[in-house]
Amino acid sequence: MKRVAPLRRVGESRWAGFQRIARDAARIILNRKSYEKSSEAGERFCQALQDAGRTAFVIGSDLEYVRDPIGFPHHMSCTVPLLLMAESRNLDAVAWGTIGEAAYQFGSGSKYMDFAKRNVFKHYNALFSAVGLPFFNPVVGMSEVATSRIALSSGYHSYVRSCQRETLEPCRRCIKCFRKSLLEATVTGQWPSHDEFDRYFADSDIKRDLKKVPIKLENVYAFIASHYDGQHPTMLKLKKRVRGGEIPVGWMMKYIPSYIEQAPADYQGKLKESLSRFVSPMSEDDLHETMKWDVTAIGNDPKIARYAQELSAALDSVA
């Protein structure tokens, strides 16, 4: 049997993707020699998978030294080890944990765009398919909200790391730790304490990101805020700013039905079956809400501009 190979570190979206195809997949972690952040979390995850009898391996790579300054010469460069080993490892597809916000553009301050029609999919999928490794992105048709919930349901959740600083344990101070902890709270009901919120809001990187208009992944914050019933004053300012409780957010817990057709034909049935255990397909109304999500000009709304100023002032008041 051929196997799909997911790549890169163990973030929640990547683990959610691996969950969809785990029995037939080989998990690959790149141990990047020039990388300034630790790969220990990814290696620990691979070891846990190996201990459970699943296929996972760590690949040492110094590809970044090919160029000056040091770094990947291209954003697809992380696939080089996979391409070199595809025959010996019997691989027939390549997967990333790309989420809907990135693929369909609705989380990046852009308007919705069908991923299947974007050049990044059409061109590179054609290129990789030519050598027998078509793209298979198992969670590309769903929001970070859905992938986080899938990851939370896994017995391997304790190994998942989305921390921006990529330490063995979450730093609990970066924007990713902040957002992921709040997404988890929407499921568990265990929200950060006032002191924990204060520590988050005191971080300069978090302050900077939350002051932006629009906020990166603003839809995710709208989902989070719609579930928040606490009394932390700065969190309440954020809730107002992202219209928490005022706009539909249920669509973020479902998947875009047409994205299954992007998967290699041999995997489409298995993907659909796996999805049915965790998330439902979007209805026409859900899809309409997804496609109309557009915060590109949200700063022109006087009410949003005022809320943004209030949030900025509240963030500045947290030491």
Side-chain angles (χ1 to χ4, degrees):
M1 178 182 291
K2 294 281 189 175
R3 294 179 301 189
V4 62
L7 283 168
R8 317 263 321 251
R9 64 182 176 82
V10 198
E12 285 189 342
S13 61
R14 293 190 172 97
W15 173 244
F18 188 71
Q19 281 275 88
R20 308 283 58 72
I21 52 175
R23 292 298 171 188
D24 298 328
R27 186 67 168 91
I28 300 173
I29 296 290
L30 294 185
N31 185 1
R32 294 164 59 181
K33 302 302 182 184
S34 65
Y35 200 39
E36 73 277 9
K37 299 175 184 177
S38 172
S39 63
E40 190 174 358
E43 292 178 36
R44 183 175 67 172
F45 174 61
C46 275
Q47 186 61 56
L49 289 173
Q50 290 168 350
D51 292 344
R54 298 188 179 187
T55 303
F57 46 96
V58 177
I59 302 300
S61 172
D62 59 1
L63 174 65
E64 291 147 291
Y65 285 103
V66 170
R67 56 165 276 183
D68 184 14
I70 292 172
F72 275 158
H74 190 275
H75 69 279
M76 290 289 180
S77 298
C78 62
T79 63
V80 168
L82 179 146
L83 290 166
L84 294 174
M85 298 185 302
E87 188 69 25
S88 63
R89 296 286 179 171
N90 204 30
L91 305 177
D92 69 348
V94 57
W96 288 266
T98 308
I99 55 175
E101 283 88 351
Y104 289 82
Q105 299 284 281
F106 56 82
S108 59
S110 300
K111 295 180 180 179
Y112 174 96
M113 182 180 293
D114 188 345
F115 183 54
K117 297 179 180 178
R118 291 184 59 202
N119 287 338
V120 68
F121 175 78
K122 292 192 298 182
H123 292 174
Y124 287 109
N125 185 47
L127 179 64
F128 278 73
S129 294
V131 293
L133 291 169
F135 283 6
F136 178 17
N137 295 320
V139 296
V140 77
M142 64 186 80
S143 167
E144 183 181 68
V145 170
T147 62
S148 295
R149 290 180 168 228
I150 292 172
L152 279 169
S153 71
S154 169
Y156 290 94
H157 180 252
S158 62
Y159 293 97
V160 175
R161 292 290 176 269
S162 297
C163 179
Q164 193 164 273
R165 290 156 188 167
E166 296 189 16
T167 50
L168 183 58
E169 299 301 329
C171 73
R172 302 193 184 280
R173 296 189 68 86
C174 70
I175 190 66
K176 277 197 171 182
C177 283
F178 173 65
R179 194 174 67 249
K180 296 294 187 177
S181 70
L182 298 189
L183 276 171
E184 186 167 336
T186 66
V187 176
T188 65
Q190 298 175 359
W191 294 86
S193 67
H194 271 232
D195 287 345
E196 288 171 328
F197 268 126
D198 283 344
R199 283 195 294 274
Y200 277 126
F201 289 131
D203 184 88
S204 59
D205 290 341
I206 293 176
K207 287 177 187 279
R208 183 191 65 240
D209 285 355
L210 296 182
K211 287 181 179 181
K212 292 177 180 177
V213 181
I215 299 171
K216 183 178 180 180
L217 297 176
E218 181 153 332
N219 64 299
V220 177
Y221 288 104
F223 180 90
I224 290 167
S226 71
H227 288 75
Y228 181 68
D229 293 322
Q231 297 300 316
H232 190 279
T234 307
M235 187 61 195
L236 291 176
K237 296 291 186 185
L238 177 60
K239 182 174 182 175
K240 286 174 62 179
R241 161 63 188 82
V242 297
R243 301 172 290 170
E246 299 177 17
I247 55 176
V249 295
W251 55 272
M252 297 180 219
M253 295 189 288
K254 303 176 183 179
Y255 69 87
I256 298 169
S258 62
Y259 99 91
I260 292 176
E261 298 169 8
Q262 298 168 20
D266 290 346
Y267 286 102
Q268 291 179 13
K270 183 178 294 185
L271 175 60
K272 190 172 183 178
E273 179 185 353
S274 296
L275 285 168
S276 68
R277 302 200 302 269
F278 298 93
V279 288
S280 302
M282 290 184 184
S283 66
E284 287 297 322
D285 288 343
D286 294 323
L287 192 57
H288 176 70
E289 292 295 339
T290 307
M291 296 177 71
K292 79 173 187 179
W293 179 267
D294 180 6
V295 291
T296 53
I298 196 171
N300 296 331
D301 184 328
K303 184 171 69 172
I304 296 298
R306 184 175 75 253
Y307 290 160
Q309 291 177 348
E310 293 174 359
L311 174 60
S312 180
L315 288 167
D316 287 340
S317 70
V318 181

